[in-house]
Amino acid sequence: VSGDPFQSATDVTPDGSVLLFHQLNDDTGWDIYALSMDGESKPQPLIRERADQSEGVVSPDGRWIAYVTWSSESGGHIWRMRSNGSGRPQQLTDIPAFYTDLVYGPDGDTLLAMRGNEFMRNQTFSEFGGLRVTLELISLPADGGAQTVITSANGARFPHFGAPDDRVYLTDEKG
C-alpha cells in the first residue's frame, strides 16, 4: 500500500475498483481498510475494534468481505460483513482458534483457511521469522456452519485455486 511494514494488501474487489489492506494502529491493533483505486480517495476503515482484524478477502460476487480476528484473551474466529458496510458483522466459526490464509472458493459458497491451536499461538510472540504453529486446512460454508478438516498442512500454507478450479493447492516454504 505505502511500503509501510505495518500495512499489507490482502485483496482487490472483482471489478478492480477497491483494494483491501490491513494496517497496525496504536489504539486498536490490526484493522481492515478499503481504498478506492480512483487515485484520489483516502483509505476508509471497515472495522476498528480491540481484537485484531486482518486478511480481508472479497467474495467472488463482490457482496461480502470475510476476515479473521485474533485476541490473546479469546482466540480468533472467521467473520464476514457486507462489502457496502451495511448491517453487522457475522461470526462464521464457533471454535476459537488461530485462523490465517483465508480464501473464498471459486463459487463463493465456501471459505478455506488454515487453522491452528489457540493455546499454541498464544505461546508464539509473533509471526516474524516464520509461524511456529501447526496448521490444518479447513473449509466451512461462506455463510457459517460446521468446519471440515481437509488435511494437515505439514508446513504448507496459502491455499489457492488453479485451473481447473476444482482443486485447492498449498504452498510450502520452497514455493
Side-chain angles (χ1 to χ4, degrees), residues 16-92:
S17 66
V18 176
L19 171 75
L20 293 183
F21 67 95
H22 55 244
Q23 173 177 305
L24 185 60
N25 295 297
D26 290 338
D27 56 341
T28 58
W30 290 99
D31 296 313
I32 299 173
Y33 288 78
L35 176 63
S36 175
M37 302 292 274
D38 63 12
E40 298 177 18
S41 300
K42 294 194 181 295
Q44 299 298 314
L46 294 179
I47 302 171
R48 293 197 65 186
E49 295 180 359
R50 287 281 175 211
D52 290 338
Q53 303 90 41
S54 62
E55 302 188 25
V57 294
V58 183
S59 63
D61 64 8
R63 294 179 48 217
W64 296 97
I65 296 171
Y67 59 96
V68 300
T69 60
W70 175 255
S71 163
S72 59
E73 294 83 32
S74 58
H77 285 283
I78 298 174
W79 294 72
R80 76 173 184 172
M81 64 179 290
R82 294 191 182 281
S83 60
N84 66 8
S86 68
R88 298 183 61 128
Q90 174 189 6
Q91 183 175 314
L92 302 179

